[in-house]
């Protein structure tokens, strides 16, 4: 009888313990949260060019800009060098910097390109392209190169149209060019390729 009562008491205590644990598990707790958000946009990168260093626009391969040579390039004589300036910069809405490289010319015509030689140097943007500024500039294409020679290395471009790069082209019909070159023609088209840094 006493053992039976003890067993019942133990069972009641055990049930109370289970109820107590269950009650503890159902108590409410405070919570709080933090949220984060990221906004993303792709960068923009583009270039424009100018033959006069003032008016900049886009010049696709189908409509290249015309270089304004100091000496008329359609009446070259042996020993004469003609100079022309071209300036390149990023567009105003460009958001990243980059680099600029010059490819060798694509030439057409009746063969004058086999005699012509050229060189390209970077010069101060405000300077004219002349024998003096060419001589003092930083070499991009070595003087006396074939028209198809590409520039060595690349030039830095700043974002948002900052720090334009001015190129001075020097095209020469070398002294000693034979009579066979008389009346020949060529048209040379150069391409600048800009690459963003990110």
């Amino acid at each position: 009888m006493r053992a039976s009562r003890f067993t019942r008491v133990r069972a009641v205590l055990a049930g109370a313990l289970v109820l107590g644990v269950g009650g503890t598990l159902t108590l409410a707790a405070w919570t709080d949260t933090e949220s984060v958000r990221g906004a993303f946009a792709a960068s923009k990168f583009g270039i424009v060019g100018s033959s006069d260093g003032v008016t900049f626009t886009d010049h696709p391969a189908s409509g290249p800009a015309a270089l304004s040579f100091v000496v008329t390039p359609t009446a070259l004589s042996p020993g004469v060098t003609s100079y022309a300036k071209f300036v390149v910069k990023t567009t105003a809405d460009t958001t990243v910097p980059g680099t600029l490289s010059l490819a060798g010319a694509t030439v057409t015509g009746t063969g004058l390109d086999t005699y012509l030689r050229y060189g390209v140097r970077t010069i101060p943007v405000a300077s004219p392209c002349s024998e003096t500024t060419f001589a003092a500039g930083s070499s991009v294409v070595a003087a006396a190169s074939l028209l198809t020679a590409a520039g060595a290395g690349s030039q830095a471009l700043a974002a948002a149209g900052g720090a334009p790069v001015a190129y001075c082209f020097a095209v020469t019909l070398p002294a000693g060019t034979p009579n066979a070159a008389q009346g020949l023609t060529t048209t040379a088209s150069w391409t600048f390729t800009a690459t963003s840094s990110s």
Side-chain angles (χ1 to χ4, degrees):
M1 183 84 152
R2 185 175 294 174
S4 173
R5 185 181 305 157
F6 179 71
T7 301
R8 282 198 299 268
V9 169
R10 276 195 347 187
V12 170
L13 289 174
L17 182 60
V18 169
L19 286 173
V21 170
T24 301
L25 292 177
T26 58
L27 288 177
W30 285 280
T31 63
D32 195 5
T33 61
E34 283 291 330
S35 299
V36 294
R37 179 179 70 178
F40 305 94
S43 62
K44 292 184 178 180
F45 188 75
I47 58 173
V48 286
S50 172
S51 296
D52 61 10
V54 177
T55 304
F56 288 84
T57 189
D58 185 38
H59 300 95
S62 58
L67 293 173
S68 299
F69 283 93
V70 175
V71 175
T72 304
T74 55
L76 291 172
S77 298
V80 173
T81 298
S82 189
Y83 298 90
K85 179 179 176 180
F86 192 68
V87 184
V88 181
K89 67 178 182 178
T90 57
T91 56
D93 63 350
T94 289
T95 57
V96 292
T99 57
L100 192 62
S101 60
L102 174 64
T106 299
V107 295
T108 58
T110 60
L112 186 60
D113 57 287
T114 60
Y115 300 100
L116 291 174
R117 296 294 181 266
Y118 93 120
V120 180
R121 297 191 177 180
T122 55
I123 61 173
V125 175
S127 298
C129 177
S130 65
E131 181 179 4
T132 301
T133 56
F134 181 86
S138 298
S139 181
V140 176
V141 177
S145 295
L146 293 172
L147 298 182
T148 53
S154 60
Q155 294 70 53
L157 282 172
V165 182
Y167 293 89
C168 182
F169 284 73
V171 178
T172 303
L173 186 61
T177 298
N179 286 336
Q182 290 187 49
L184 295 180
T185 64
T186 195
T187 298
S189 298
W190 288 272
T191 298
F192 291 93
T193 299
T195 305
S196 68
S197 59
S198 63

